[in-house]
PDB file of all heavy atoms in Angstrom:
ATOM      1  N   ALA A  85       5.799   5.136 -11.330  1.00 82.00           N
ATOM      2  CA  ALA A  85       5.070   6.411 -11.347  1.00 82.00           C
ATOM      3  C   ALA A  85       3.807   6.229 -12.191  1.00 82.00           C
ATOM      4  O   ALA A  85       3.847   5.651 -13.269  1.00 82.00           O
ATOM      5  CB  ALA A  85       5.941   7.505 -11.938  1.00 82.00           C
ATOM      6  N   GLY A  86       2.681   6.700 -11.677  1.00 79.00           N
ATOM      7  CA  GLY A  86       1.436   6.597 -12.423  1.00 79.00           C
ATOM      8  C   GLY A  86       0.671   5.321 -12.149  1.00 79.00           C
ATOM      9  O   GLY A  86      -0.471   5.216 -12.517  1.00 79.00           O
ATOM     10  N   LYS A 160      16.230  24.579   3.619  1.00 94.00           N
ATOM     11  CA  LYS A 160      15.812  25.964   3.748  1.00 94.00           C
ATOM     12  C   LYS A 160      16.650  26.900   2.882  1.00 94.00           C
ATOM     13  O   LYS A 160      16.152  27.859   2.331  1.00 94.00           O
ATOM     14  CB  LYS A 160      15.935  26.411   5.212  1.00 94.00           C
ATOM     15  CG  LYS A 160      14.691  26.133   6.025  1.00 94.00           C
ATOM     16  CD  LYS A 160      13.570  27.120   5.693  1.00 94.00           C
ATOM     17  CE  LYS A 160      12.262  26.662   6.305  1.00 94.00           C
ATOM     18  NZ  LYS A 160      11.096  27.091   5.589  1.00 94.00           N
ATOM     19  N   ILE A 166      15.572  23.730  -1.903  1.00 96.00           N
ATOM     20  CA  ILE A 166      14.303  24.372  -2.243  1.00 96.00           C
ATOM     21  C   ILE A 166      13.646  23.637  -3.407  1.00 96.00           C
ATOM     22  O   ILE A 166      12.449  23.393  -3.430  1.00 96.00           O
ATOM     23  CB  ILE A 166      14.525  25.859  -2.568  1.00 96.00           C
ATOM     24  CG1 ILE A 166      14.957  26.587  -1.300  1.00 96.00           C
ATOM     25  CG2 ILE A 166      13.257  26.485  -3.146  1.00 96.00           C
ATOM     26  CD1 ILE A 166      15.424  28.016  -1.533  1.00 96.00           C
ATOM     27  N   ARG A 167      14.451  23.244  -4.369  1.00 96.00           N
ATOM     28  CA  ARG A 167      13.919  22.501  -5.502  1.00 96.00           C
ATOM     29  C   ARG A 167      13.343  21.170  -5.050  1.00 96.00           C
ATOM     30  O   ARG A 167      12.347  20.678  -5.585  1.00 96.00           O
ATOM     31  CB  ARG A 167      15.011  22.277  -6.550  1.00 96.00           C
ATOM     32  CG  ARG A 167      15.198  23.497  -7.396  1.00 96.00           C
ATOM     33  CD  ARG A 167      16.432  23.485  -8.240  1.00 96.00           C
ATOM     34  NE  ARG A 167      16.716  24.868  -8.616  1.00 96.00           N
ATOM     35  CZ  ARG A 167      17.901  25.332  -8.967  1.00 96.00           C
ATOM     36  NH1 ARG A 167      18.950  24.523  -9.006  1.00 96.00           N
ATOM     37  NH2 ARG A 167      18.050  26.592  -9.287  1.00 96.00           N
ATOM     38  N   ARG A 169      11.971  20.553  -2.177  1.00 94.00           N
ATOM     39  CA  ARG A 169      10.665  20.814  -1.572  1.00 94.00           C
ATOM     40  C   ARG A 169       9.621  21.090  -2.654  1.00 94.00           C
ATOM     41  O   ARG A 169       8.485  20.632  -2.576  1.00 94.00           O
ATOM     42  CB  ARG A 169      10.752  22.007  -0.620  1.00 94.00           C
ATOM     43  CG  ARG A 169      11.378  21.651   0.710  1.00 94.00           C
ATOM     44  CD  ARG A 169      11.892  22.875   1.434  1.00 94.00           C
ATOM     45  NE  ARG A 169      10.854  23.854   1.702  1.00 94.00           N
ATOM     46  CZ  ARG A 169      11.092  25.174   1.820  1.00 94.00           C
ATOM     47  NH1 ARG A 169      12.304  25.643   1.710  1.00 94.00           N
ATOM     48  NH2 ARG A 169      10.109  25.990   2.067  1.00 94.00           N
ATOM     49  N   ALA A 170      10.053  21.868  -3.657  1.00 95.00           N
ATOM     50  CA  ALA A 170       9.123  22.193  -4.743  1.00 95.00           C
ATOM     51  C   ALA A 170       8.660  20.934  -5.459  1.00 95.00           C
ATOM     52  O   ALA A 170       7.463  20.713  -5.652  1.00 95.00           O
ATOM     53  CB  ALA A 170       9.792  23.140  -5.729  1.00 95.00           C
ATOM     54  N   GLU A 173       6.209  18.933  -3.583  1.00 90.00           N
ATOM     55  CA  GLU A 173       4.828  19.406  -3.578  1.00 90.00           C
ATOM     56  C   GLU A 173       4.140  19.171  -4.916  1.00 90.00           C
ATOM     57  O   GLU A 173       3.040  18.645  -4.981  1.00 90.00           O
ATOM     58  CB  GLU A 173       4.780  20.899  -3.227  1.00 90.00           C
ATOM     59  CG  GLU A 173       3.362  21.397  -3.050  1.00 90.00           C
ATOM     60  CD  GLU A 173       3.277  22.912  -2.984  1.00 90.00           C
ATOM     61  OE1 GLU A 173       4.202  23.536  -2.440  1.00 90.00           O
ATOM     62  OE2 GLU A 173       2.278  23.474  -3.477  1.00 90.00           O
ATOM     63  N   ARG A 174       4.780  19.573  -5.997  1.00 90.00           N
ATOM     64  CA  ARG A 174       4.176  19.435  -7.322  1.00 90.00           C
ATOM     65  C   ARG A 174       5.236  19.023  -8.326  1.00 90.00           C
ATOM     66  O   ARG A 174       5.951  19.864  -8.864  1.00 90.00           O
ATOM     67  CB  ARG A 174       3.553  20.752  -7.762  1.00 90.00           C
ATOM     68  CG  ARG A 174       2.355  21.075  -6.964  1.00 90.00           C
ATOM     69  CD  ARG A 174       1.447  22.077  -7.563  1.00 90.00           C
ATOM     70  NE  ARG A 174       0.212  21.979  -6.832  1.00 90.00           N
ATOM     71  CZ  ARG A 174      -0.406  22.992  -6.238  1.00 90.00           C
ATOM     72  NH1 ARG A 174       0.085  24.192  -6.345  1.00 90.00           N
ATOM     73  NH2 ARG A 174      -1.511  22.811  -5.590  1.00 90.00           N
ATOM     74  N   LEU A 176       5.011  17.855 -11.351  1.00 91.00           N
ATOM     75  CA  LEU A 176       4.824  18.284 -12.731  1.00 91.00           C
ATOM     76  C   LEU A 176       5.254  19.746 -12.904  1.00 91.00           C
ATOM     77  O   LEU A 176       6.015  20.080 -13.806  1.00 91.00           O
ATOM     78  CB  LEU A 176       3.352  18.121 -13.127  1.00 91.00           C
ATOM     79  CG  LEU A 176       3.019  18.606 -14.541  1.00 91.00           C
ATOM     80  CD1 LEU A 176       3.816  17.835 -15.565  1.00 91.00           C
ATOM     81  CD2 LEU A 176       1.533  18.453 -14.813  1.00 91.00           C
ATOM     82  N   LEU A 177       4.774  20.592 -11.986  1.00 94.00           N
ATOM     83  CA  LEU A 177       5.129  22.007 -12.090  1.00 94.00           C
ATOM     84  C   LEU A 177       6.646  22.170 -11.951  1.00 94.00           C
ATOM     85  O   LEU A 177       7.270  22.958 -12.682  1.00 94.00           O
ATOM     86  CB  LEU A 177       4.404  22.817 -11.017  1.00 94.00           C
ATOM     87  CG  LEU A 177       4.697  24.307 -11.025  1.00 94.00           C
ATOM     88  CD1 LEU A 177       4.258  24.949 -12.333  1.00 94.00           C
ATOM     89  CD2 LEU A 177       3.994  25.002  -9.855  1.00 94.00           C
ATOM     90  N   ALA A 178       7.230  21.417 -11.024  1.00 94.00           N
ATOM     91  CA  ALA A 178       8.676  21.516 -10.838  1.00 94.00           C
ATOM     92  C   ALA A 178       9.387  21.197 -12.146  1.00 94.00           C
ATOM     93  O   ALA A 178      10.312  21.893 -12.567  1.00 94.00           O
ATOM     94  CB  ALA A 178       9.122  20.552  -9.739  1.00 94.00           C
ATOM     95  N   SER A 179       8.898  20.140 -12.788  1.00 94.00           N
ATOM     96  CA  SER A 179       9.515  19.736 -14.031  1.00 94.00           C
ATOM     97  C   SER A 179       9.361  20.832 -15.078  1.00 94.00           C
ATOM     98  O   SER A 179      10.276  21.144 -15.831  1.00 94.00           O
ATOM     99  CB  SER A 179       8.853  18.446 -14.513  1.00 94.00           C
ATOM    100  OG  SER A 179       9.559  17.921 -15.589  1.00 94.00           O
ATOM    101  N   GLN A 180       8.196  21.468 -15.091  1.00 94.00           N
ATOM    102  CA  GLN A 180       7.967  22.550 -16.042  1.00 94.00           C
ATOM    103  C   GLN A 180       8.796  23.778 -15.737  1.00 94.00           C
ATOM    104  O   GLN A 180       8.914  24.679 -16.566  1.00 94.00           O
ATOM    105  CB  GLN A 180       6.475  22.911 -16.061  1.00 94.00           C
ATOM    106  CG  GLN A 180       5.628  21.844 -16.751  1.00 94.00           C
ATOM    107  CD  GLN A 180       4.172  21.907 -16.331  1.00 94.00           C
ATOM    108  OE1 GLN A 180       3.800  22.597 -15.383  1.00 94.00           O
ATOM    109  NE2 GLN A 180       3.347  21.150 -17.029  1.00 94.00           N
ATOM    110  N   ARG A 181       9.335  23.858 -14.529  1.00 95.00           N
ATOM    111  CA  ARG A 181      10.207  24.965 -14.177  1.00 95.00           C
ATOM    112  C   ARG A 181      11.677  24.567 -14.309  1.00 95.00           C
ATOM    113  O   ARG A 181      12.550  25.136 -13.678  1.00 95.00           O
ATOM    114  CB  ARG A 181       9.927  25.451 -12.760  1.00 95.00           C
ATOM    115  CG  ARG A 181       8.589  26.153 -12.609  1.00 95.00           C
ATOM    116  CD  ARG A 181       8.605  27.480 -13.357  1.00 95.00           C
ATOM    117  NE  ARG A 181       7.266  28.028 -13.485  1.00 95.00           N
ATOM    118  CZ  ARG A 181       6.443  27.788 -14.519  1.00 95.00           C
ATOM    119  NH1 ARG A 181       6.847  27.035 -15.533  1.00 95.00           N
ATOM    120  NH2 ARG A 181       5.243  28.305 -14.560  1.00 95.00           N
ATOM    121  N   GLY A 182      11.910  23.504 -15.080  1.00 94.00           N
ATOM    122  CA  GLY A 182      13.281  23.135 -15.401  1.00 94.00           C
ATOM    123  C   GLY A 182      13.958  22.246 -14.371  1.00 94.00           C
ATOM    124  O   GLY A 182      15.138  21.931 -14.503  1.00 94.00           O
ATOM    125  N   ILE A 183      13.212  21.846 -13.342  1.00 95.00           N
ATOM    126  CA  ILE A 183      13.821  20.988 -12.324  1.00 95.00           C
ATOM    127  C   ILE A 183      13.768  19.541 -12.773  1.00 95.00           C
ATOM    128  O   ILE A 183      12.690  19.034 -13.097  1.00 95.00           O
ATOM    129  CB  ILE A 183      13.069  21.135 -10.983  1.00 95.00           C
ATOM    130  CG1 ILE A 183      13.120  22.585 -10.490  1.00 95.00           C
ATOM    131  CG2 ILE A 183      13.655  20.191  -9.939  1.00 95.00           C
ATOM    132  CD1 ILE A 183      12.200  22.870  -9.325  1.00 95.00           C
ATOM    133  N   ASN A 184      14.897  18.900 -12.840  1.00 93.00           N
ATOM    134  CA  ASN A 184      14.914  17.484 -13.177  1.00 93.00           C
ATOM    135  C   ASN A 184      14.481  16.732 -11.937  1.00 93.00           C
ATOM    136  O   ASN A 184      15.274  16.385 -11.079  1.00 93.00           O
ATOM    137  CB  ASN A 184      16.321  17.063 -13.599  1.00 93.00           C
ATOM    138  CG  ASN A 184      16.370  15.600 -13.941  1.00 93.00           C
ATOM    139  OD1 ASN A 184      15.385  14.878 -13.811  1.00 93.00           O
ATOM    140  ND2 ASN A 184      17.534  15.152 -14.377  1.00 93.00           N
ATOM    141  N   PHE A 185      13.170  16.494 -11.870  1.00 89.00           N
ATOM    142  CA  PHE A 185      12.673  15.945 -10.595  1.00 89.00           C
ATOM    143  C   PHE A 185      13.105  14.515 -10.390  1.00 89.00           C
ATOM    144  O   PHE A 185      13.145  14.032  -9.269  1.00 89.00           O
ATOM    145  CB  PHE A 185      11.159  16.095 -10.493  1.00 89.00           C
ATOM    146  CG  PHE A 185      10.392  15.191 -11.403  1.00 89.00           C
ATOM    147  CD1 PHE A 185       9.913  13.995 -10.928  1.00 89.00           C
ATOM    148  CD2 PHE A 185      10.163  15.535 -12.704  1.00 89.00           C
ATOM    149  CE1 PHE A 185       9.215  13.141 -11.762  1.00 89.00           C
ATOM    150  CE2 PHE A 185       9.466  14.701 -13.541  1.00 89.00           C
ATOM    151  CZ  PHE A 185       8.999  13.494 -13.072  1.00 89.00           C
ATOM    152  N   HIS A 186      13.447  13.805 -11.469  1.00 92.00           N
ATOM    153  CA  HIS A 186      13.959  12.453 -11.251  1.00 92.00           C
ATOM    154  C   HIS A 186      15.258  12.513 -10.470  1.00 92.00           C
ATOM    155  O   HIS A 186      15.487  11.704  -9.574  1.00 92.00           O
ATOM    156  CB  HIS A 186      14.179  11.740 -12.579  1.00 92.00           C
ATOM    157  CG  HIS A 186      12.902  11.251 -13.187  1.00 92.00           C
ATOM    158  ND1 HIS A 186      11.968  10.569 -12.460  1.00 92.00           N
ATOM    159  CD2 HIS A 186      12.395  11.372 -14.449  1.00 92.00           C
ATOM    160  CE1 HIS A 186      10.931  10.277 -13.246  1.00 92.00           C
ATOM    161  NE2 HIS A 186      11.168  10.768 -14.447  1.00 92.00           N
TER     162      HIS A 186
ATOM    163  N   LEU C  60       4.883  13.633 -18.060  1.00 79.00           N
ATOM    164  CA  LEU C  60       5.611  12.871 -17.062  1.00 79.00           C
ATOM    165  C   LEU C  60       5.286  11.391 -17.232  1.00 79.00           C
ATOM    166  O   LEU C  60       4.281  11.047 -17.819  1.00 79.00           O
ATOM    167  CB  LEU C  60       5.163  13.282 -15.654  1.00 79.00           C
ATOM    168  CG  LEU C  60       5.539  14.667 -15.204  1.00 79.00           C
ATOM    169  CD1 LEU C  60       5.140  14.844 -13.757  1.00 79.00           C
ATOM    170  CD2 LEU C  60       7.023  14.873 -15.358  1.00 79.00           C
ATOM    171  N   GLY C  62       4.135   9.486 -15.113  1.00 70.00           N
ATOM    172  CA  GLY C  62       2.904   9.165 -14.417  1.00 70.00           C
ATOM    173  C   GLY C  62       1.643   9.569 -15.152  1.00 70.00           C
ATOM    174  O   GLY C  62       0.554   9.178 -14.771  1.00 70.00           O
ATOM    175  N   PRO C  84       9.521  17.269 -19.394  1.00 93.00           N
ATOM    176  CA  PRO C  84       9.214  18.697 -19.253  1.00 93.00           C
ATOM    177  C   PRO C  84      10.417  19.555 -18.889  1.00 93.00           C
ATOM    178  O   PRO C  84      10.567  20.652 -19.399  1.00 93.00           O
ATOM    179  CB  PRO C  84       8.176  18.715 -18.134  1.00 93.00           C
ATOM    180  CG  PRO C  84       7.548  17.378 -18.150  1.00 93.00           C
ATOM    181  CD  PRO C  84       8.583  16.434 -18.645  1.00 93.00           C
ATOM    182  N   HIS C  85      11.294  19.042 -18.009  1.00 94.00           N
ATOM    183  CA  HIS C  85      12.399  19.916 -17.608  1.00 94.00           C
ATOM    184  C   HIS C  85      13.406  20.128 -18.740  1.00 94.00           C
ATOM    185  O   HIS C  85      14.026  21.178 -18.840  1.00 94.00           O
ATOM    186  CB  HIS C  85      13.096  19.383 -16.353  1.00 94.00           C
ATOM    187  CG  HIS C  85      13.843  18.101 -16.547  1.00 94.00           C
ATOM    188  ND1 HIS C  85      13.268  16.882 -16.326  1.00 94.00           N
ATOM    189  CD2 HIS C  85      15.102  17.870 -16.932  1.00 94.00           C
ATOM    190  CE1 HIS C  85      14.161  15.950 -16.568  1.00 94.00           C
ATOM    191  NE2 HIS C  85      15.276  16.506 -16.956  1.00 94.00           N
ATOM    192  N   ALA C  88      11.745  22.758 -20.830  1.00 94.00           N
ATOM    193  CA  ALA C  88      11.792  24.074 -20.173  1.00 94.00           C
ATOM    194  C   ALA C  88      13.183  24.684 -20.294  1.00 94.00           C
ATOM    195  O   ALA C  88      13.333  25.895 -20.544  1.00 94.00           O
ATOM    196  CB  ALA C  88      11.399  23.929 -18.706  1.00 94.00           C
ATOM    197  N   ARG C  89      14.187  23.846 -20.135  1.00 93.00           N
ATOM    198  CA  ARG C  89      15.549  24.392 -20.193  1.00 93.00           C
ATOM    199  C   ARG C  89      15.945  24.843 -21.604  1.00 93.00           C
ATOM    200  O   ARG C  89      16.901  25.588 -21.791  1.00 93.00           O
ATOM    201  CB  ARG C  89      16.556  23.353 -19.681  1.00 93.00           C
ATOM    202  CG  ARG C  89      16.438  23.158 -18.189  1.00 93.00           C
ATOM    203  CD  ARG C  89      17.533  22.256 -17.680  1.00 93.00           C
ATOM    204  NE  ARG C  89      17.191  21.751 -16.353  1.00 93.00           N
ATOM    205  CZ  ARG C  89      17.908  20.829 -15.729  1.00 93.00           C
ATOM    206  NH1 ARG C  89      18.985  20.331 -16.294  1.00 93.00           N
ATOM    207  NH2 ARG C  89      17.561  20.430 -14.539  1.00 93.00           N
ATOM    208  N   VAL C  93       8.477  27.327 -22.102  1.00 95.00           N
ATOM    209  CA  VAL C  93       8.046  27.260 -20.707  1.00 95.00           C
ATOM    210  C   VAL C  93       6.538  27.399 -20.586  1.00 95.00           C
ATOM    211  O   VAL C  93       5.934  28.275 -21.210  1.00 95.00           O
ATOM    212  CB  VAL C  93       8.747  28.362 -19.872  1.00 95.00           C
ATOM    213  CG1 VAL C  93       8.315  28.261 -18.416  1.00 95.00           C
ATOM    214  CG2 VAL C  93      10.258  28.241 -19.998  1.00 95.00           C
ATOM    215  N   LEU C  94       5.960  26.541 -19.784  1.00 94.00           N
ATOM    216  CA  LEU C  94       4.495  26.500 -19.632  1.00 94.00           C
ATOM    217  C   LEU C  94       4.036  27.189 -18.365  1.00 94.00           C
ATOM    218  O   LEU C  94       4.647  27.016 -17.298  1.00 94.00           O
ATOM    219  CB  LEU C  94       4.038  25.031 -19.608  1.00 94.00           C
ATOM    220  CG  LEU C  94       2.548  24.792 -19.359  1.00 94.00           C
ATOM    221  CD1 LEU C  94       1.725  25.187 -20.566  1.00 94.00           C
ATOM    222  CD2 LEU C  94       2.291  23.338 -19.012  1.00 94.00           C
ATOM    223  N   ASP C  99      -2.688  24.380 -10.434  1.00 88.00           N
ATOM    224  CA  ASP C  99      -1.467  23.993  -9.729  1.00 88.00           C
ATOM    225  C   ASP C  99      -0.271  24.733 -10.310  1.00 88.00           C
ATOM    226  O   ASP C  99       0.690  24.124 -10.762  1.00 88.00           O
ATOM    227  CB  ASP C  99      -1.218  22.481  -9.840  1.00 88.00           C
ATOM    228  CG  ASP C  99      -2.339  21.703  -9.185  1.00 88.00           C
ATOM    229  OD1 ASP C  99      -3.074  22.304  -8.391  1.00 88.00           O
ATOM    230  OD2 ASP C  99      -2.467  20.502  -9.466  1.00 88.00           O
ATOM    231  N   LYS C 100      -0.348  26.045 -10.304  1.00 92.00           N
ATOM    232  CA  LYS C 100       0.687  26.791 -11.023  1.00 92.00           C
ATOM    233  C   LYS C 100       1.753  27.374 -10.117  1.00 92.00           C
ATOM    234  O   LYS C 100       2.735  27.915 -10.606  1.00 92.00           O
ATOM    235  CB  LYS C 100       0.023  27.886 -11.870  1.00 92.00           C
ATOM    236  CG  LYS C 100      -0.830  28.848 -11.073  1.00 92.00           C
ATOM    237  CD  LYS C 100      -1.575  29.779 -11.997  1.00 92.00           C
ATOM    238  CE  LYS C 100      -3.023  29.367 -12.131  1.00 92.00           C
ATOM    239  NZ  LYS C 100      -3.769  30.106 -13.108  1.00 92.00           N
ATOM    240  N   VAL C 101       1.554  27.314  -8.795  1.00 94.00           N
ATOM    241  CA  VAL C 101       2.615  27.760  -7.882  1.00 94.00           C
ATOM    242  C   VAL C 101       2.836  26.679  -6.815  1.00 94.00           C
ATOM    243  O   VAL C 101       2.001  25.806  -6.629  1.00 94.00           O
ATOM    244  CB  VAL C 101       2.263  29.095  -7.169  1.00 94.00           C
ATOM    245  CG1 VAL C 101       2.078  30.196  -8.199  1.00 94.00           C
ATOM    246  CG2 VAL C 101       1.031  28.948  -6.313  1.00 94.00           C
ATOM    247  N   PHE C 102       4.007  26.746  -6.147  1.00 94.00           N
ATOM    248  CA  PHE C 102       4.273  25.835  -5.040  1.00 94.00           C
ATOM    249  C   PHE C 102       3.720  26.483  -3.770  1.00 94.00           C
ATOM    250  O   PHE C 102       4.287  27.440  -3.260  1.00 94.00           O
ATOM    251  CB  PHE C 102       5.764  25.591  -4.893  1.00 94.00           C
ATOM    252  CG  PHE C 102       6.382  25.010  -6.140  1.00 94.00           C
ATOM    253  CD1 PHE C 102       7.241  25.755  -6.919  1.00 94.00           C
ATOM    254  CD2 PHE C 102       6.100  23.719  -6.522  1.00 94.00           C
ATOM    255  CE1 PHE C 102       7.796  25.227  -8.067  1.00 94.00           C
ATOM    256  CE2 PHE C 102       6.650  23.179  -7.670  1.00 94.00           C
ATOM    257  CZ  PHE C 102       7.508  23.931  -8.445  1.00 94.00           C
ATOM    258  N   GLU C 103       2.605  25.947  -3.282  1.00 91.00           N
ATOM    259  CA  GLU C 103       1.913  26.639  -2.210  1.00 91.00           C
ATOM    260  C   GLU C 103       2.632  26.594  -0.871  1.00 91.00           C
ATOM    261  O   GLU C 103       2.446  27.473  -0.036  1.00 91.00           O
ATOM    262  CB  GLU C 103       0.502  26.051  -2.040  1.00 91.00           C
ATOM    263  CG  GLU C 103      -0.345  26.288  -3.280  1.00 91.00           C
ATOM    264  CD  GLU C 103      -1.760  25.825  -3.114  1.00 91.00           C
ATOM    265  OE1 GLU C 103      -2.060  25.171  -2.099  1.00 91.00           O
ATOM    266  OE2 GLU C 103      -2.576  26.115  -3.995  1.00 91.00           O
ATOM    267  N   THR C 104       3.438  25.546  -0.666  1.00 90.00           N
ATOM    268  CA  THR C 104       4.107  25.442   0.636  1.00 90.00           C
ATOM    269  C   THR C 104       5.433  26.208   0.650  1.00 90.00           C
ATOM    270  O   THR C 104       6.133  26.209   1.649  1.00 90.00           O
ATOM    271  CB  THR C 104       4.369  23.985   1.013  1.00 90.00           C
ATOM    272  OG1 THR C 104       5.175  23.402  -0.017  1.00 90.00           O
ATOM    273  CG2 THR C 104       3.079  23.199   1.135  1.00 90.00           C
ATOM    274  N   GLU C 109      10.957  31.721  -2.514  1.00 95.00           N
ATOM    275  CA  GLU C 109      11.424  30.371  -2.772  1.00 95.00           C
ATOM    276  C   GLU C 109      10.864  29.832  -4.084  1.00 95.00           C
ATOM    277  O   GLU C 109      11.537  29.072  -4.788  1.00 95.00           O
ATOM    278  CB  GLU C 109      11.031  29.453  -1.621  1.00 95.00           C
ATOM    279  CG  GLU C 109      11.872  29.657  -0.366  1.00 95.00           C
ATOM    280  CD  GLU C 109      11.360  28.885   0.841  1.00 95.00           C
ATOM    281  OE1 GLU C 109      10.164  28.550   0.887  1.00 95.00           O
ATOM    282  OE2 GLU C 109      12.161  28.641   1.743  1.00 95.00           O
ATOM    283  N   ALA C 113      13.399  28.376  -6.801  1.00 94.00           N
ATOM    284  CA  ALA C 113      13.359  26.963  -7.200  1.00 94.00           C
ATOM    285  C   ALA C 113      13.578  26.791  -8.701  1.00 94.00           C
ATOM    286  O   ALA C 113      13.973  25.719  -9.141  1.00 94.00           O
ATOM    287  CB  ALA C 113      12.015  26.350  -6.798  1.00 94.00           C
ATOM    288  N   VAL C 114      13.335  27.845  -9.456  1.00 94.00           N
ATOM    289  CA  VAL C 114      13.400  27.742 -10.909  1.00 94.00           C
ATOM    290  C   VAL C 114      14.826  27.428 -11.376  1.00 94.00           C
ATOM    291  O   VAL C 114      15.791  28.017 -10.897  1.00 94.00           O
ATOM    292  CB  VAL C 114      12.936  29.067 -11.541  1.00 94.00           C
ATOM    293  CG1 VAL C 114      13.214  29.086 -13.025  1.00 94.00           C
ATOM    294  CG2 VAL C 114      11.473  29.288 -11.240  1.00 94.00           C
ATOM    295  N   VAL C 115      14.942  26.484 -12.297  1.00 93.00           N
ATOM    296  CA  VAL C 115      16.223  26.236 -12.941  1.00 93.00           C
ATOM    297  C   VAL C 115      16.202  26.985 -14.267  1.00 93.00           C
ATOM    298  O   VAL C 115      15.416  26.661 -15.152  1.00 93.00           O
ATOM    299  CB  VAL C 115      16.436  24.737 -13.197  1.00 93.00           C
ATOM    300  CG1 VAL C 115      17.758  24.505 -13.907  1.00 93.00           C
ATOM    301  CG2 VAL C 115      16.368  23.966 -11.903  1.00 93.00           C
ATOM    302  N   ALA C 154       3.039  32.838 -11.117  1.00 95.00           N
ATOM    303  CA  ALA C 154       3.252  31.777 -12.107  1.00 95.00           C
ATOM    304  C   ALA C 154       3.975  32.342 -13.327  1.00 95.00           C
ATOM    305  O   ALA C 154       4.917  31.748 -13.845  1.00 95.00           O
ATOM    306  CB  ALA C 154       1.916  31.167 -12.492  1.00 95.00           C
ATOM    307  N   SER C 157       7.673  33.168 -12.343  1.00 95.00           N
ATOM    308  CA  SER C 157       8.602  32.050 -12.243  1.00 95.00           C
ATOM    309  C   SER C 157       8.830  31.442 -13.622  1.00 95.00           C
ATOM    310  O   SER C 157       9.924  30.965 -13.918  1.00 95.00           O
ATOM    311  CB  SER C 157       8.093  31.021 -11.239  1.00 95.00           C
ATOM    312  OG  SER C 157       7.054  30.265 -11.759  1.00 95.00           O
ATOM    313  N   CYS C 161      12.577  31.128 -15.966  1.00 94.00           N
ATOM    314  CA  CYS C 161      13.078  29.975 -16.727  1.00 94.00           C
ATOM    315  C   CYS C 161      13.726  30.430 -18.024  1.00 94.00           C
ATOM    316  O   CYS C 161      14.225  29.606 -18.766  1.00 94.00           O
ATOM    317  CB  CYS C 161      11.937  29.037 -17.054  1.00 94.00           C
ATOM    318  SG  CYS C 161      11.580  27.838 -15.810  1.00 94.00           S
TER     319      CYS C 161
END
Side-chain angles (χ1 to χ4, degrees):
Chain A
K160 272 285 169 208
I166 292 171
R167 280 168 199 156
R169 282 160 59 207
E173 187 191 325
R174 290 199 165 126
L176 177 60
L177 180 61
S179 189
Q180 287 159 349
R181 290 292 167 269
I183 300 170
N184 180 356
F185 72 95
H186 284 313
Chain C
L60 291 186
H85 68 268
R89 289 186 197 173
V93 182
L94 176 72
D99 298 342
K100 57 187 103 186
V101 298
F102 301 110
E103 296 185 352
T104 58
E109 285 172 337
V114 170
V115 178
S157 76
C161 273

